[in-house]
C-alpha cells in the first residue's frame, strides 16, 4: 500500500474532468512514466513501486514552472497571462497544502519530498457568454445539472497542471501526475474574468490532496 502522503496527493485522479484531448507533455521528466487513470478522467499518474515513502512526512514546494515545450496547452495565450496564473498558484499553494496534516518544509531533509508544480496549459473562459448561460433558464438548468454531477460549466476555461515528487536527498523521482481541471459548474467565482476558471481549477487541484492529507492523518491517529 502506498504511503498515505503520496496516496493523498495522487487522489486528484479520482476527481479529474473528462477530456480526451489531454496530452502527456513530453518535456516533463515524469512524462515517459505516466499512465492514464481509468474511467476516462483527464489525469495521468506515476508512482515508483520501488520507492520507500514511509520516511517522508514533509513537502518542499518549488516555485511553479511555466511549461514552454512545443506540446504545451496554452494555445495563443500570451506569456504574461501564463506567468500571472503561475504566480497565482504560487501564492495559494502554501496556504492550501500546508496544514496540520502535512507540514511544509523550507529546506531539503531526509523526511522531505520536493514537489515541482508545472503549469502545462490553460484555456480561457468566455465570461459574457458564461454569465448569460447562468441567467437564462435552460443555461442555468444545464449548469446546475453539470455542477451536481461534478462537471464544469458552459463556456468555462480550464488549467493543466503537473506535479513531480523528488527525494530531496537523492534527487530520485518518486511520483508524479498530470491533470486537467475546470472548476465546478456552480462556482460563480469562475466567471469573474477570462482566466478565473483556470485559477479556480488550479485551486481545486490543490484542495483535493489537502483534503486527503487531513483524512489520512485522521486515520493514522
Amino acid at each position: 500500500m502506498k504511503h498515505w502522503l503520496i496516496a493523498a496527493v495522487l487522489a486528484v485522479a479520482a476527481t479529474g474532468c473528462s477530456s480526451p484531448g489531454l496530452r502527456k507533455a513530453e518535456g516533463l521528466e515524469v512524462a515517459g512514466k505516466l499512465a492514464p487513470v481509468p474511467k476516462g478522467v483527464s489525469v495521468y499518474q506515476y508512482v515508483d513501486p520501488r520507492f520507500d515513502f514511509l520516511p517522508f512526512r514533509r513537502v518542499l514546494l518549488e516555485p511553479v514552472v511555466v511549461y514552454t515545450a512545443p506540446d504545451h496547452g496554452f494555445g495563443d495565450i500570451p506569456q504574461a497571462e501564463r506567468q500571472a496564473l503561475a504566480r497565482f498558484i504560487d501564492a495559494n499553494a502554501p496556504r492550501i497544502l500546508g496544514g496540520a496534516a502535512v507540514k511544509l518544509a523550507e529546506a531539503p531533509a531526509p523526511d522531505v519530498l520536493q514537489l515541482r508544480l508545472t503549469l502545462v496549459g490553460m484555456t480561457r473562459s468566455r465570461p459574457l457568454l458564461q454569465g448569460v448561460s447562468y441567467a437564462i433558464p435552460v443555461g442555468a438548468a444545464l449548469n446546475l445539472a453539470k455542477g451536481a454531477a461534478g462537471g464544469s460549466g458552459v463556456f468555462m476555461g480550464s488549467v493543466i497542471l503537473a506535479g513531480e515528487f523528488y527525494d530531496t536527498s537523492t534527487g530520485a523521482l518518486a511520483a508524479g501526475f498530470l491533470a486537467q481541471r475546470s472548476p465546478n459548474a456552480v462556482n460563480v467565482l469562475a466567471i469573474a474574468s477570462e482566466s478565473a476558471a483556470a485559477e479556480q481549477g488550479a485551486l481545486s487541484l490543490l484542495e483535493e490532496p489537502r483534503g486527503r492529507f487531513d483524512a489520512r492523518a485522521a486515520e493514522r491517529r
Side-chain angles (χ1 to χ4, degrees):
M1 185 176 181
K2 301 185 196 73
H3 181 261
W4 68 273
L5 190 152
I6 290 298
V9 172
L10 295 184
V12 295
T15 52
C17 300
S18 177
S19 176
L22 181 63
R23 295 176 292 183
K24 277 192 180 181
E26 297 297 337
L28 298 172
E29 182 177 344
V30 76
K33 303 177 184 296
L34 290 171
V37 172
K39 301 181 181 178
V41 295
S42 262
V43 180
Y44 293 99
Q45 69 176 32
Y46 164 73
V47 178
D48 184 346
R50 302 163 299 176
F51 193 86
D52 181 12
F53 292 101
L54 291 177
F56 296 90
R57 291 291 181 270
R58 295 183 294 158
V59 174
L60 176 64
L61 290 175
E62 284 190 18
V64 175
V65 176
V66 177
Y67 189 72
T68 58
D71 60 342
H72 64 75
F74 294 104
D76 60 355
I77 292 174
Q79 285 291 339
E81 199 168 334
R82 305 177 196 185
Q83 293 291 342
L85 181 56
R87 291 194 299 271
F88 176 86
I89 298 171
D90 269 332
N92 286 277
R95 172 181 63 82
I96 295 175
L97 291 177
V102 173
K103 298 297 183 183
L104 296 184
E106 296 183 357
D111 68 334
V112 172
L113 279 177
Q114 185 169 336
L115 171 55
R116 178 181 301 160
L117 291 171
T118 302
L119 178 59
V120 174
M122 64 181 291
T123 59
R124 293 190 183 108
S125 294
R126 300 171 69 183
L128 179 59
L129 293 175
Q130 198 176 348
V132 170
S133 77
Y134 280 91
I136 62 175
V138 172
L142 178 59
N143 280 307
L144 287 172
K146 281 175 168 281
S152 61
V154 180
F155 306 117
M156 189 174 281
S158 65
V159 66
I160 303 174
L161 192 65
E164 296 168 294
F165 293 84
Y166 296 89
D167 182 336
T168 57
S169 298
T170 67
L173 176 66
F177 69 86
L178 173 68
Q180 183 171 14
R181 178 68 62 86
S182 291
N184 188 280
V186 295
N187 185 340
V188 295
L189 294 176
I191 65 173
S193 67
E194 289 185 336
S195 61
E199 292 173 351
Q200 294 301 309
L203 295 185
S204 176
L205 278 171
L206 295 175
E207 286 165 356
E208 275 298 317
R210 170 58 190 273
R212 299 301 197 280
F213 287 159
D214 294 338
R216 295 277 180 164
E219 291 173 5
R220 295 173 68 245
R221 291 194 187 108

